[in-house]
Amino acid sequence: MKRLSIDIGTRTVVGICSEFQGDRIKVSQVFTVEHAERAMLDGAIHDIEKVAEVVRKVKGEIESRAGEKFKSADVALAGRFLQTVIGEAALRLDRLTEITSQTVKHLEAMATKEAVAKLQSEREMYCVGYSPLFYTVDGEWIKNPVGHRASEVYVKVMATFLPRHIVDSMVLALKRADLHVGHLTLEPIAVLELLVPQDLRLLNLVILDVGAGTSDIAISKDGMVIGYAMIPNAGDEITEEICKNHLLDFQTAETVKRKLAQEAVITAKDILGFETEFRSEELIREIEPVVDNITEEIAERIVSLNGRPPAAVLVVGGGAKVPGFTERLALKLDLP
Ligand SMILES: Nc1ncnc2c1ncn2[C@@H]1O[C@H](COP(=O)(O)OP(=O)(O)OP(=O)(O)O)[C@@H](O)[C@H]1O
Ligand SMILES: [Mg+2]
């Protein structure tokens, strides 16, 4: 069965048509549309109708390419209001029977429920996902308890929450595009599960998604996900610096920024209508302090979550394509 998945980003909305083939996922279509206006800020939807319009476009194109209609879409949420809470649970078991995947699911649900109960927030929050941090059977750490026999099995999970209105606005934008929410998860969870196979998670890796509105961090270590964090600074902040310095509107500054790596001289019209020539080299120097700030914040957060610099950082997302971004981050984390 084909599924539609949509990533509603601050700058771009990406639709993906995929299906399971055994335990592999085959992606048959990918279609990307950019928001014409800034309908989203820092990963949160500000203008529902404008976002719905883009979602309709993505849905329509994927449907006509795939030759199939979709009623629901799978989405991943992120954004600056993400909150995580640790939950735990233990189950007494009969030593004679094997632990089934159902038992483990049940245990994880109990732990998540415990996290929900512990959550402290002034706002109404939705639990949008969880990931198991580790399991023990009879007090011993184990990667996967399924199939083991024990008198007690225990799990620690990280449950993730978003304010209700963030989730609602996503659901409403989809609804206006005639879509229900199929599967809902969190960006860092989805990225980690897809990009880092279980065995690589043993390494101390960081996955960093630098988007337009937010930079999202997920850290793996000893086979588990040890932390997520989000910084509400990313590509938009760099674009805004160019806007500010040269009286360019946001879209023009975006175009200029994306040419920095390719062209030595870029021409653009400012908001007064004057055609100006920019030397990429100079612009790159100008945005350096902003890139420096963002990478500094990211590096600090990684080190505080992880305790020390990680073995490697996998960088995804468009925001990091600006010249010098990854180099600067590597420098701050003492990575080659
Ligand atoms: N070639 C490029 N050079 C520099 N920046 C680029 C380039 N291409 C894209 N970007 C920047 O990448 C950002 C968009 O990246 P992406 O599509 O990953 O974000 P998003 O998913 O829409 O946002 P978010 O994840 O924050 O919600 C924008 O800031 C854009 O200017
Ligand atoms: Mg994104």
Side-chain angles (χ1 to χ4, degrees):
M1 194 185 65
K2 287 184 186 158
R3 301 189 70 101
L4 172 66
S5 316
I6 301 186
D7 171 15
I8 304 184
T10 309
R11 189 92 286 270
T12 50
V13 176
V14 185
I16 292 176
C17 174
S18 65
E19 62 190 315
F20 272 106
Q21 288 192 338
D23 57 357
R24 307 186 126 225
I25 300 171
K26 185 184 162 213
V27 173
S28 51
Q29 309 291 344
V30 179
F31 184 66
T32 306
V33 176
E34 276 193 37
H35 298 288
E37 287 164 65
R38 299 184 76 185
M40 291 181 60
L41 291 175
D42 298 341
I45 296 178
H46 282 247
D47 190 323
I48 291 183
E49 180 46 38
K50 290 222 171 77
V51 172
E53 211 172 289
V54 181
V55 173
R56 277 197 288 271
K57 244 193 237 170
V58 169
K59 175 186 176 230
E61 180 66 25
I62 296 269
E63 282 180 340
S64 76
R65 288 191 196 176
E68 206 167 308
K69 293 267 175 221
F70 294 103
K71 288 199 159 58
S72 70
D74 304 328
V75 287
L77 289 167
R80 63 183 306 172
F81 303 108
L82 196 78
Q83 208 176 322
T84 54
V85 180
I86 303 287
E88 14 174 38
L91 267 179
R92 311 266 340 145
L93 300 171
D94 175 0
R95 267 211 72 80
L96 297 175
T97 46
E98 283 179 13
I99 300 171
T100 63
S101 58
Q102 218 155 358
T103 312
V104 175
K105 280 269 165 294
H106 175 58
L107 181 69
E108 290 169 357
M110 282 167 57
T112 307
K113 229 170 144 183
E114 203 247 351
V116 172
K118 275 202 296 217
L119 175 75
Q120 285 183 349
S121 172
E122 282 141 35
R123 310 181 218 205
E124 207 180 330
M125 304 288 276
Y126 270 162
C127 180
V128 283
Y130 73 87
S131 55
L133 296 180
F134 71 90
Y135 308 94
T136 63
V137 294
D138 289 341
E140 296 286 334
W141 172 64
I142 204 98
K143 260 166 106 175
N144 184 355
V146 174
H148 289 269
R149 293 180 182 173
S151 37
E152 194 198 68
V153 57
Y154 161 91
V155 71
K156 189 182 254 191
V157 302
M158 185 183 308
T160 344
F161 300 86
L162 276 174
R164 187 187 164 130
H165 81 268
I166 299 269
V167 183
D168 280 351
S169 60
M170 172 74 64
V171 174
L172 288 171
L174 286 176
K175 200 167 152 203
R176 286 194 182 207
D178 288 322
L179 286 169
H180 296 291
V181 176
H183 185 74
L184 184 80
T185 183
L186 270 176
E187 273 182 25
I189 294 181
V191 167
L192 210 79
E193 282 185 0
L194 259 182
L195 281 188
V196 188
Q198 195 77 40
D199 284 330
L200 267 187
R201 280 181 218 168
L202 283 176
L203 301 177
N204 185 199
L205 294 180
V206 170
I207 295 176
L208 172 67
D209 176 1
V210 186
T214 62
S215 300
D216 300 280
I217 300 166
I219 303 184
S220 79
K221 193 180 187 174
D222 302 331
M224 5 176 221
V225 181
I226 63 157
Y228 304 121
M230 195 278 319
I231 287 158
N233 289 323
D236 279 353
E237 274 64 31
I238 302 172
T239 309
E240 278 161 12
E241 181 71 14
I242 301 178
C243 290
K244 205 171 67 192
N245 291 347
H246 300 285
L247 286 185
L248 299 180
D249 66 36
F250 191 81
Q251 291 302 344
T252 313
E254 274 286 317
T255 320
V256 171
K257 184 180 79 172
R258 292 183 204 186
K259 287 184 182 158
L260 284 178
Q262 286 103 30
E263 292 167 30
V265 180
I266 304 162
T267 39
K269 254 196 195 128
D270 67 19
I271 51 172
L272 303 173
F274 293 116
E275 190 99 26
T276 321
E277 275 196 356
F278 299 101
R279 294 174 49 79
S280 293
E281 214 182 309
E282 277 166 28
L283 280 187
I284 292 173
R285 213 169 314 127
E286 250 176 57
I287 58 173
E288 225 171 62
V290 185
V291 175
D292 196 68
N293 277 341
I294 301 173
T295 48
E296 177 73 31
E297 250 184 283
I298 294 172
E300 265 174 20
R301 193 64 76 83
I302 289 175
V303 173
S304 86
L305 268 175
N306 194 47
R308 62 190 162 89
V313 181
L314 307 180
V315 184
V316 298
K321 285 192 196 156
V322 103
F325 193 101
T326 45
E327 290 80 358
R328 205 152 270 268
L329 182 67
L331 208 67
K332 292 186 192 291
L333 287 171
D334 257 335
L335 292 172

